[in-house]
Structures are given as C-alpha cells and as structure tokens.
Amino acid sequence: EAGPATARTTHVLLRNTQGYQVHGPATTQRSPPTDLYQAIVQALPADRRDALGIQAGEGDALRQWLKQRVASLAERRKILAEPPVSVIQGRETSRLLGGPVLSRSATPPSRTQTEHARQTLQLLFPHLSEARLNRFLDDIPNTQLRKTLNGLVLEKQQLHTDLLGWQNSVILSLRDAAHEQQVRASIRQLTGMLERCWSERFAEYTDDWGHVQQGASLKLRGIPMPPRLPTLSASFEHVTFLDASVCNFGDAHSDFLKHFPALRALNLADNRLTQVPKALEQMRFLRVLKLAGNRLELAAHEVARLKKLRALNSLDLSNNPLARAPDISWMPGLRLLYLSGTPLETWPDGLFAHPRDDAFVLDLRGTRISRIPTVETGSARARVVARTRLDRRTLVDEQRARYEGL
C-alpha cells in the first residue's frame, strides 16, 4: 500500500504474468497489462500528473523523475543508520500538542481501516450489495481484516492468471479453423462466467421450486465444453448450484467438479458421461443430482459412490443404459428417484431401509421390471410399491394381479 490511509480514492494494481492492471472506483473495463511505471501513471489523478509534468502513458518520464529525486544508496544507508525518532512524547511535546488525548489522530484508525476495506471489497466484488458488504465486514475481526483482504486480492489475481493460461494454452484434436474458433469462443465465455461467479459472494438464487437458496449459481447449460476445463486454485466453495447440462460434459471434464465441494444441486443431464464423477464423493451437502440422459451403466464402485450421498432428496438417472439399480439405503431424506427409460430388471436396493411417505416418488416406467417386491398387503411398504410409477404390461400376470391388489 502507498499513500495516506485517509485517502478518499483507492486504486489497486494487480500483477499477472503479463504485467500490471489498474482497478479503481471509476473503472468500467479492464485495462490492458502494462509495466509498473505506466500503471502508476495511469493510477495517478490528473492534477498530480500535471504537478509532476507527466502525461498519461509517460511511464519512462516517471522513471527518470524518480531517479533524479531518490537519494543515492550511500545517503540512504546513512539515514537508515541514524537513531530512530522516539515514539514516547517528551513533556514539552505533550504540552505543546495539548496532552496525549488531544494529540491523537482526528480519524480513528479502525474507521479508516474499515473505509479502505469497504473500497477494496467493492473492487473485488462489484455485485455485492451494501447490506451483504456490511455483513462481510462484521464477520471478519479487525485484527484479521488486512490479512483477509490481501488474501482475497491475491486469490483473484491467481484466478485471472490461471484462466489466462488456460485461454492461451494449446488445444489438441481440433478438426478445422471453424472448430478452433468455436472452442476459443467457449473458453472466453467460460472465463468471464467463472470470474463473475468468483465475485458473487453472499449471493442467492431461486431453485426449481421457487425457493430462494443461499449461495452463488453457475449456469453453463448449453455452452459447448472445450476439450479441457481449467484447473483452478481459487475457492468456489460459495457456489451451491451448478448447471452443466446439455453441453457435451464428459468424463474428461469430471475433474473440474472438485472445485465445487459445497454444491447443493448439480445438473449434468443430457451429456456424454460414461462414469459417475469421482468428485461427488466430496459433495456431502448435495441434495439434488441430475444425471439423466447420459451413458451411465453403474459399475459396482459407482453404485457405492452414489450410495454415500446421504443428503440427497432427488436423484435422476433416467434414460441411461443402467446395468445396476442405485442403492438408496443411506438416503433417508430421498423424495424423488427417477429410473425411467433404463433397462433395469430389479428394484433399487435399500428401498425399505427407511420409511418412505406419500411424498416419495419412484419412477420405473420404461424398464424391464417384471416382478414386484414381496410386501404385506396394507402395510407402509405395500403403499410405497402401489404408488410406484410402473408399466403394468411388463409384469407377468401373477405379479400384475398382486400389484393391483395392493
């Protein structure tokens, strides 16, 4: 940091692999990277540049001006070797300044620090409302405020560096120039969406049921996925909803999901997945998972992977070539289970491991199931079977009669 702590205007210089970028309250678009002296000149107010006799873009002039006014190395050593000024006021000094109370700064340091923090947060998170900005400041102890802000500035800088490296990376397996143009366009679009998503702290979104949910949402639906997605060091734990449906999301992209461990809802429907993503194992808060319309068969270890999602209340595996049914024995809150349009011949394991009330929906239409579980007529289990969406024509005669009699 440079300049007085009471300054009304703050500019932040962010350094990346190509140079420095200036961000300020009036910044409407990102400036191209430049060297340090050019960035300082750009950050200076017009009246300060005029006082120095330097015009915008004259970074070399600032360099020469500094060389002329900075003391030589020998002189700096002599000054630094002198005894420091005492921080304890003498009696005469204290009397001259009106006593220790009157000699204090007119602006309390905590207030100045808060104002600086507010400006920095507005630069980092331009979409943050005033109420949520205040909540952000209230949640951070004053002793940790500077460290927290510096960490956020570095994190945003590193995110920009990671995404810039991804944009400039070599892309293999391109069919022709038109395909490359399409891939580059997708990468640019995804870069902008990821940078905006990072800045949406304390955001909210409305789910499919019209309920307002806490957290940011990242909606990538319909954006063709490039061959490779970026590896990110920035935190996206504030993202609770991710929609990457209908975008050719495949097994090669699955590792990207590890950046979103706090998801409550994940939609990967109508894509090219042949395996259940391993990153799901870390999503212990996941409640809604949509994997319909992929190429999943569910190997034994994938059934075990899905089984660990204890918080699920909705699981959609419809229109997949499933070789196994999911195991829902560890999902007491599951309310919706869609398995329609699959070649399943068996009912899901764990169906009766927990009570399933009338809100529970099991869809087995379009499967090869020909038998129903053995249950006692009139029991709670019988009611679960009776309310299952099932093709009666696939049941053998005896089973169809039992099903209709439940």
Side-chain angles (χ1 to χ4, degrees), residues 159-340:
L159 173 64
H160 180 71
T161 300
D162 292 342
L163 292 175
L164 189 64
W166 177 51
Q167 282 184 290
N168 297 330
S169 62
V170 177
I171 304 175
L172 302 177
S173 304
L174 294 173
R175 296 188 298 271
D176 49 35
H179 185 211
E180 180 177 7
Q181 185 177 4
Q182 178 188 17
V183 170
R184 294 292 182 190
S186 294
I187 290 177
R188 287 193 299 271
Q189 184 177 5
L190 291 170
T191 294
M193 297 180 73
L194 286 169
E195 289 186 324
R196 179 184 175 90
C197 181
W198 182 88
S199 67
E200 290 182 338
R201 305 297 171 103
F202 297 106
E204 296 176 339
Y205 70 93
T206 303
D207 62 21
D208 294 340
W209 292 275
H211 301 143
V212 176
Q213 303 290 349
Q214 298 295 321
S217 62
L218 181 58
K219 299 179 181 179
L220 309 179
R221 178 182 174 87
I223 301 176
M225 289 292 107
R228 183 181 67 85
L229 290 174
T231 299
L232 305 173
S233 56
S235 172
F236 283 85
E237 293 187 6
H238 61 290
V239 180
T240 57
F241 175 74
L242 173 58
D243 184 353
S245 60
V246 201
C247 61
N248 290 326
F249 193 99
D251 299 331
H253 305 116
S254 292
D255 197 48
F256 178 70
L257 298 175
K258 70 182 181 182
H259 301 302
F260 307 93
L263 288 179
R264 267 66 170 175
L266 174 60
N267 186 356
L268 296 174
D270 301 314
N271 280 309
R272 305 174 65 181
L273 289 169
T274 64
Q275 300 177 13
V276 175
K278 191 177 188 313
L280 294 181
E281 296 178 355
Q282 309 301 321
M283 299 180 187
R284 55 194 181 94
F285 303 113
L286 194 64
R287 297 174 184 172
V288 177
L289 177 59
K290 297 181 180 181
L291 295 170
N294 279 279
R295 306 171 185 178
L296 300 173
E297 296 184 7
L298 286 193
H301 71 277
E302 293 175 293
V303 172
R305 182 170 295 162
L306 289 175
K307 181 181 178 180
K308 296 177 182 178
L309 300 177
R310 301 171 184 262
L312 277 187
N313 56 43
S314 178
L315 175 59
D316 190 350
L317 289 166
S318 58
N319 299 313
N320 277 287
L322 301 182
R324 294 176 176 83
D327 187 341
I328 60 173
S329 56
W330 291 355
M331 303 177 189
L334 192 66
R335 292 292 178 268
L336 305 173
L337 179 56
Y338 299 107
L339 300 173
S340 60

Side-chain angles (χ1 to χ4, degrees), residues 44-51 54:
L44 285 174
D47 59 334
R48 296 297 179 89
R49 289 199 299 265
D50 293 341
I54 298 174

Side-chain angles (χ1 to χ4, degrees), residues 14 98 151 195 222 250 387 391:
L14 296 180
E195 289 186 324
R387 298 186 74 257
D391 290 333

Side-chain angles (χ1 to χ4, degrees), residues 34-251:
T34 185
D35 61 51
L36 176 61
Y37 297 97
Q38 294 280 17
I40 294 175
V41 171
Q42 184 178 345
L44 285 174
D47 59 334
R48 296 297 179 89
R49 289 199 299 265
D50 293 341
L52 296 174
I54 298 174
Q55 301 300 319
E58 295 183 348
D60 289 337
L62 176 63
R63 186 199 302 266
Q64 296 301 322
W65 184 88
L66 288 171
K67 284 183 178 180
Q68 294 171 7
R69 282 158 179 77
V70 172
S72 65
L73 180 59
E75 291 175 344
R76 292 202 303 271
R77 285 175 178 168
K78 185 186 298 184
I79 294 173
L80 292 173
E82 294 177 358
V85 178
S86 175
V87 296
I88 302 176
Q89 293 180 358
R91 182 177 299 175
E92 293 80 5
T93 304
S94 178
R95 185 180 303 166
L96 179 64
L97 296 176
V101 175
L102 296 179
S103 65
R104 294 175 184 171
S105 171
T107 304
S110 59
R111 181 181 178 184
T112 302
Q113 185 182 33
T114 301
E115 290 174 352
H116 171 71
R118 182 180 298 276
Q119 289 182 351
T120 303
L121 287 172
Q122 288 171 342
L123 291 172
L124 289 171
F125 311 123
H127 307 288
L128 200 63
S129 67
E130 186 70 17
R132 298 192 180 281
L133 188 148
N134 291 332
R135 194 172 83 185
F136 194 108
L137 291 174
D138 291 341
D139 289 343
I140 303 175
N142 288 335
T143 55
Q144 297 294 320
L145 190 55
R146 180 183 294 271
K147 180 179 179 181
T148 301
L149 292 178
N150 288 341
L152 289 172
V153 170
L154 292 175
E155 184 178 330
K156 185 171 185 178
Q157 176 184 344
Q158 186 59 50
L159 173 64
H160 180 71
T161 300
D162 292 342
L163 292 175
L164 189 64
W166 177 51
Q167 282 184 290
N168 297 330
S169 62
V170 177
I171 304 175
L172 302 177
S173 304
L174 294 173
R175 296 188 298 271
D176 49 35
H179 185 211
E180 180 177 7
Q181 185 177 4
Q182 178 188 17
V183 170
R184 294 292 182 190
S186 294
I187 290 177
R188 287 193 299 271
Q189 184 177 5
L190 291 170
T191 294
M193 297 180 73
L194 286 169
E195 289 186 324
R196 179 184 175 90
C197 181
W198 182 88
S199 67
E200 290 182 338
R201 305 297 171 103
F202 297 106
E204 296 176 339
Y205 70 93
T206 303
D207 62 21
D208 294 340
W209 292 275
H211 301 143
V212 176
Q213 303 290 349
Q214 298 295 321
S217 62
L218 181 58
K219 299 179 181 179
L220 309 179
R221 178 182 174 87
I223 301 176
M225 289 292 107
R228 183 181 67 85
L229 290 174
T231 299
L232 305 173
S233 56
S235 172
F236 283 85
E237 293 187 6
H238 61 290
V239 180
T240 57
F241 175 74
L242 173 58
D243 184 353
S245 60
V246 201
C247 61
N248 290 326
F249 193 99
D251 299 331

